[in-house]
Amino acid sequence: MKMNLSLRTVLPDFGSEVRNQQAQFLKMILIGIMHILIPSALAVIFIDPSPWPGLSFMAAWFPILLIIKQFLKRGYLKSASYAFCAILLVMVNIGSIFFGGVIGPNMGAYMAVPLIAGLILGIKGGMIFSGLSAVSAVGLLWFEQTVSLNNHLPPAKPISTLVGLLITTGFMVILMYTYNRILDQSIKRTQANAEIQKELNQRLKAMQTVL
């Protein structure tokens, strides 16, 4: 299996315009993560004096994306969506441990998870992962204070937290823009199909009149 998911990757028909739209959006998220990993890894190498934890965290994404890609290409949209959101939340928590705790550069990611879940799973999925995201953030924060995790890992610098929030905000803006484009394309396809169906109905009616 090759990691060849790209903009040209053709996904199966999931049976409805809404499900096809969700699948396209999930594909775009996977592509976005793939393209972010390599420059992020280079940044960690040049900036972080101890880059191995961060590099290990980023390397773990590749088999995850490979598995989600295979689920999606085989037509398992719901399974791929729930698996991706669950793994994303787990990776956000792991990233918080590596990069300065919950109140650090990764803090904004706890808001991104419910947003992504809501867009690819609907309202119910968004609410589920909103609760899970909040519980995991509070739980990890309690763990940090109780186990004194900051004694083992250096706390995040204020500038790092600010940069992390800006990156997360920018990422969410791009996601919303991408989602709106996919939605707009879906609406145009629906309108085009309606026009074609209307024309076919008119032709059929004309033929029946002649007969």
Side-chain angles (χ1 to χ4, degrees):
M1 293 185 295
K2 296 181 180 180
M3 197 63 178
N4 58 355
L5 185 66
S6 67
L7 290 173
R8 296 182 180 180
T9 299
V10 178
L11 298 178
D13 185 359
F14 290 95
S16 71
E17 193 64 39
V18 173
R19 287 171 59 83
N20 289 335
Q21 173 188 319
Q22 292 171 338
Q24 287 293 330
F25 185 63
L26 179 56
K27 184 186 81 169
M28 294 301 297
I29 294 175
L30 298 178
I31 293 172
I33 294 175
M34 286 168 52
H35 284 83
I36 287 173
L37 285 175
I38 294 178
S40 297
L42 292 175
V44 169
I45 291 173
F46 286 107
I47 296 175
D48 195 338
S50 302
W52 291 112
L55 291 177
S56 300
F57 170 77
M58 293 177 188
W61 270 108
F62 285 99
I64 292 171
L65 295 175
L66 181 62
I67 293 171
I68 300 299
K69 181 198 78 168
Q70 291 302 317
F71 269 84
L72 190 59
K73 290 184 69 175
R74 292 175 185 270
Y76 301 116
L77 175 59
K78 189 172 182 179
S79 299
S81 299
Y82 271 101
F84 174 75
C85 291
I87 293 171
L88 178 62
L89 183 56
V90 170
M91 295 298 281
V92 166
N93 283 296
I94 295 174
S96 294
I97 295 174
F98 282 146
F99 301 112
V102 174
I103 305 178
N106 218 34
M107 182 169 57
Y110 288 97
M111 295 179 286
V113 172
L115 173 64
I116 293 172
L119 292 176
I120 64 177
L121 291 172
I123 296 176
K124 182 179 178 181
M127 292 179 65
I128 290 173
F129 280 95
S130 292
L132 291 175
S133 183
V135 170
S136 63
V138 172
L140 184 57
L141 187 60
W142 174 85
F143 180 77
E144 290 176 9
Q145 302 301 320
T146 304
V147 184
S148 298
L149 190 61
N150 288 332
N151 292 332
H152 305 282
L153 294 174
K157 298 179 180 179
I159 185 63
S160 299
T161 301
L162 177 60
V163 171
L165 287 173
L166 290 176
I167 292 174
T168 304
T169 302
F171 180 67
M172 289 192 289
V173 169
I174 293 172
L175 284 183
M176 293 302 300
Y177 172 76
T178 303
Y179 183 81
N180 285 331
R181 283 194 60 187
I182 294 174
L183 180 61
D184 183 59
Q185 292 171 359
S186 176
I187 293 173
K188 288 180 179 178
R189 283 195 299 268
T190 301
Q191 292 174 341
N193 291 335
E195 289 295 328
I196 293 174
Q197 186 62 48
K198 181 180 178 180
E199 183 177 351
L200 290 174
N201 291 339
Q202 290 176 345
R203 289 183 180 180
L204 180 59
K205 185 176 179 181
M207 292 175 62
Q208 290 174 343
T209 302
V210 173
L211 295 176

